[in-house]
Amino acid sequence: MQLSERLLAAVGLVTRGNRVADIGCDHAYTSIYLCRQGIAPSAIAADVHPGPLLRAKQNVELYGLTEQISLRLSDGLASFSEGEADTLLLTGMGGLLMLNILSEFPDVTASAKELVLQPQSEVALVRHWLHNSGYKITMERMIKEEEKFYVLIHAVKTDVLQHYEQECYYVYGKELAIEDRKVFGEFLAREKKLREEVLLKLSMQETKKTKEREQELQQELLLIKAAALAHKL
């Protein structure tokens, strides 16, 4: 089974031998890959929508993995018990939705050994939440696929409360994989260019709102510069 670069990066963060809960599994391709490659001995492929879950069932049967992959209709972690999975895998959803899922059933979330997350938005909020909730971010990946940039985060529970010393690390990440530095540099360059283009347009206007927005953009540019310096780009 051929996974996208984004999903390949996600499964690459799963600890071998862990039982995986694939939340928002869609067609269960990730669960199937994990089990076929021997990364996970078993997986629970869960989705809130019956349609995708039916297609997931068909795919699991097609690959002969009905004994390794169980399917579950579940709104986030609502149908899960503590300790059912070692890895909680959440990909392809907004950061706020992801945090709602993880926060709604904290005992289930805390019982997992690791979180593998790929938030599509609000990534800074996800990083803040992880630290505030007692997690350590051990690895991040940045993947470019079809002109879009994706962030993947691996986190584990820790007894020592974590905190980044610079806000730019929450906005743009700190534990970046060495092989992703080129992509990350390209991402920062694009972020800088986009803001500079907006600033140029705003400079032609003279209103209170545009001035406020200009100040916001200047602060964002400072964070981008700080991230580039921190990562020696």
Side-chain angles (χ1 to χ4, degrees):
M1 174 172 290
Q2 185 63 41
L3 293 183
S4 66
E5 288 296 317
R6 170 179 64 89
L7 292 180
L8 278 174
V11 297
L13 295 178
V14 174
T15 299
R16 184 174 290 274
N18 276 9
R19 300 163 301 154
V20 176
D22 185 3
I23 310 302
C25 69
D26 196 25
H27 295 179
Y29 293 143
T30 306
S31 295
I32 291 168
Y33 184 92
L34 285 165
C35 290
R36 289 192 75 201
Q37 296 298 318
I39 299 170
S42 64
I44 302 171
D47 205 286
V48 69
H49 301 294
L53 208 59
L54 176 60
R55 289 188 288 273
K57 180 176 183 293
Q58 294 168 345
N59 289 331
V60 170
E61 291 174 350
L62 177 66
Y63 284 95
L65 293 169
T66 54
E67 292 187 6
Q68 286 179 268
I69 301 175
S70 60
L71 301 158
R72 190 170 300 181
L73 186 65
S74 180
D75 186 358
L77 298 172
S79 300
F80 283 78
S81 301
E82 294 177 41
E84 274 197 284
D86 304 308
T87 302
L88 297 184
L89 175 65
L90 290 82
T91 64
M93 65 182 73
L96 286 178
L97 174 58
M98 189 173 288
L99 296 184
N100 286 338
I101 290 172
L102 295 173
S103 301
E104 191 171 7
F105 298 94
D107 291 340
V108 175
T109 299
S111 70
K113 296 178 181 178
E114 66 183 5
L115 305 178
V116 176
L117 312 174
Q118 188 264 299
Q120 301 276 51
S121 58
E122 296 97 20
V123 184
L125 290 179
V126 173
R127 294 187 181 106
H128 274 292
W129 181 90
L130 287 168
H131 279 179
N132 293 336
S133 302
Y135 285 88
K136 179 180 180 180
I137 299 171
T138 60
M139 171 71 79
E140 291 203 19
R141 296 291 315 276
M142 175 163 280
I143 302 299
K144 184 181 180 183
E145 186 175 79
E146 297 181 355
E147 300 307 310
K148 293 183 179 180
F149 294 90
Y150 297 95
V151 174
L152 299 107
I153 301 171
H154 179 272
V156 296
K157 267 289 187 180
T158 178
D159 295 329
V160 181
L161 196 63
Q162 303 292 302
H163 180 73
Y164 287 151
E165 61 273 20
Q166 297 185 59
E167 181 61 23
C168 71
Y169 288 138
Y170 285 105
V171 179
Y172 294 108
K174 183 178 183 181
E175 309 301 331
L176 184 70
I178 294 174
E179 63 265 32
D180 296 337
R181 286 176 57 81
K182 183 178 179 181
V183 174
F184 183 66
E186 186 180 344
F187 171 71
L188 287 182
R190 190 199 69 169
E191 293 289 288
K192 181 174 181 287
K193 182 181 178 182
L194 288 173
R195 283 158 179 78
E196 288 175 341
E197 288 174 349
V198 175
L199 274 173
L200 182 60
K201 292 178 182 177
L202 291 177
S203 67
M204 302 174 188
Q205 306 173 37
E206 290 290 337
T207 68
K208 183 180 178 181
K209 285 188 177 181
T210 57
K211 290 298 181 184
E212 290 174 352
R213 182 56 182 146
E214 283 179 353
Q215 291 178 355
E216 291 173 356
L217 289 167
Q218 292 291 359
Q219 290 300 313
E220 291 171 12
L221 284 169
L222 287 175
L223 285 174
I224 293 170
K225 183 178 180 180
L229 286 172
H231 288 278
K232 298 179 181 179
L233 296 172

